[in-house]
Amino acid sequence: MEPLIIILAKPRGFCAGVERAIEIVEKALSIYGPPIYVRHEIVHNKWVVEDLRAKGVIFVDEVSEIPDGAITVFSAHGISEKVESSARLRDLPIIDATCPLVTKVHHEAQRYEAEGRDIVLIGHAGHPEVEGTTGRVKGKVYLIATSADVTALEVDNPDKLAYVTQTTLSVDDTRTVIEALKARFPSIKGPDLRDICYATQNRQNAVRDLAKTVDMILVIGSHNSSNSNRLRDLGEEMGVPSHLVDDERSIQPQWLEGIESVGVTAGASAPELLVDKVIARLQALRPSEVKTLDGITENTRFKLPPEVTDKPFMLKKRAS
């Protein structure tokens, strides 16, 4: 039997926003000790969440579940103004791990609102990032996901609209929705595709390259991870059987029947450790040769907040 060719996408796995969020929680644990409370999953990855939970992180759905005085971290997806206000009213010691690129979308939406425009938000209903962005705007927000939604959209004033997007969407799908918005509402303002995270775009481009060279694609990521789902969908759209797997245990041996090459990538919230585990599983199933696709090297790094770089600052706030 010929060896299975395993081709790794580049880039893959953690983006700068995810690395920053996880580092914030781990530094908070080191400085202040457990328990640390995080509203919602810090990032959408089952393995990361369970690893942090084992270290003393308690994940909650609502701020009301957090005890008085407990260190409180907001997840990378961002939160609404109402959630932030409720935490500050209780004087909880807050560390905000919102990805700076998500914060940029919040500021864009608020700037357009200040111009008297209603906001059209391109995103997925129920996603924490969408809820956070919607909750940063005091006026009307219209949530859409597809070009069909644009056709059905009813607005108060078609001449006073602006759009922003969820950062983890498919570049191609979002381009189509934006074109439909501009065709129906010629005076609409927006950032084109600039809201979509650079890491999301890079990983989607890497999957496109993978799809040209492999018989099957494995995307490592949790099923509630928007960007991971988009990677799997993109592989399928390019005609390559693609599977979203939490880890190596999700791989079905029958997937490899008749397969000579498999591409492996990971969503922006999946750690490289899981890539190593998937490779080991594939090698256990078939003799394999591992290669890495040429691609972009990402060097972006976001600054950490003072609450985890200036210990006296946070200790003083906690004591007050």
Side-chain angles (χ1 to χ4, degrees):
M1 181 182 294
E2 291 293 321
L4 178 69
I5 305 300
I6 302 171
I7 302 181
L8 306 180
K10 181 182 179 182
R12 61 181 181 272
F14 280 174
C15 63
V18 166
E19 287 182 340
R20 175 180 180 270
I22 294 171
E23 187 175 359
I24 286 170
V25 174
E26 290 181 335
K27 282 186 174 292
L29 283 167
S30 176
I31 295 171
Y32 308 112
I36 300 293
Y37 286 79
V38 177
R39 184 183 182 274
H40 287 167
E41 295 181 351
I42 185 66
V43 297
H44 280 162
N45 184 267
K46 181 179 176 181
W47 188 92
V48 170
V49 168
E50 291 305 319
D51 180 61
L52 291 174
R53 185 175 279 127
K55 294 176 181 177
V57 175
I58 298 174
F59 295 94
V60 300
D61 291 327
E62 302 297 340
V63 169
S64 59
E65 300 173 54
I66 301 174
D68 292 343
I71 300 292
T72 301
V73 179
F74 293 144
S75 79
H77 309 103
I79 45 94
S80 68
E81 194 171 284
K82 180 179 178 181
V83 170
E84 182 177 3
S85 296
S86 66
R88 295 197 184 281
L89 283 172
R90 291 184 55 201
D91 203 26
L92 291 172
I94 296 169
I95 308 175
D96 190 357
T98 300
C99 174
L101 299 181
V102 174
T103 300
K104 180 175 79 72
V105 175
H106 293 175
H107 292 162
E108 284 174 347
Q110 291 168 333
R111 185 175 70 252
Y112 289 133
E113 182 183 35
E115 296 175 1
R117 297 176 180 271
D118 289 337
I119 306 300
V120 178
L121 172 56
I122 306 170
H124 299 298
H127 192 280
E129 185 182 328
V130 166
E131 293 175 353
T133 300
T134 301
R136 290 287 166 175
V137 177
K138 294 181 174 62
K140 189 160 289 187
V141 177
Y142 304 97
L143 178 61
I144 62 171
T146 67
S147 298
D149 293 337
V150 176
T151 302
L153 187 59
E154 296 183 4
V155 301
D156 290 343
N157 188 345
D159 296 322
K160 297 294 286 184
L161 293 175
Y163 68 86
V164 295
T165 81
Q166 184 179 328
T167 63
T168 55
L169 300 178
S170 159
V171 174
D172 291 337
D173 291 347
T174 307
R175 181 183 292 111
T176 300
V177 176
I178 291 172
E179 289 173 354
L181 280 172
K182 290 180 176 179
R184 186 168 176 209
F185 307 108
S187 61
I188 196 169
K189 294 181 66 174
D192 291 320
L193 293 169
R194 290 191 300 274
D195 280 352
I196 295 181
C197 164
Y198 74 93
T200 296
Q201 294 185 48
N202 289 345
R203 280 149 190 73
Q204 290 174 14
N205 290 339
V207 165
R208 288 188 182 90
D209 292 338
L210 270 185
K212 298 172 185 176
T213 59
V214 300
D215 301 322
M216 182 181 74
I217 294 174
L218 296 177
V219 178
I220 304 167
S222 293
H223 287 263
N224 62 340
S225 166
S226 176
N227 76 88
S228 298
N229 276 284
R230 301 290 77 71
L231 295 178
R232 187 270 316 279
D233 293 346
L234 183 57
E236 291 282 354
E237 289 165 11
M238 296 193 68
V240 179
S242 301
H243 305 279
L244 180 62
V245 296
D246 278 316
D247 53 36
E248 78 284 2
R249 294 169 294 183
S250 303
I251 297 173
Q252 304 299 312
Q254 60 267 30
W255 292 349
L256 298 180
E257 294 176 3
I259 297 295
E260 297 180 1
S261 59
V262 56
V264 176
T265 189
S269 50
E272 187 67 13
L273 172 65
L274 297 184
V275 176
D276 295 338
K277 288 178 178 289
V278 163
I279 293 172
R281 170 65 171 158
L282 292 172
Q283 290 174 327
L285 291 170
R286 289 257 300 271
S288 304
E289 179 182 345
V290 181
K291 302 178 179 180
T292 300
L293 202 67
D294 288 337
I296 293 171
T297 299
E298 294 175 344
N299 297 309
T300 302
R301 182 169 175 80
F302 294 129
K303 184 178 179 181
L304 296 174
E307 294 87 350
V308 293
T309 57
D310 182 3
K311 183 176 178 180
F313 171 87
M314 194 63 174
L315 288 179
K316 180 179 178 181
K317 182 171 184 178
R318 194 176 193 184
S320 64

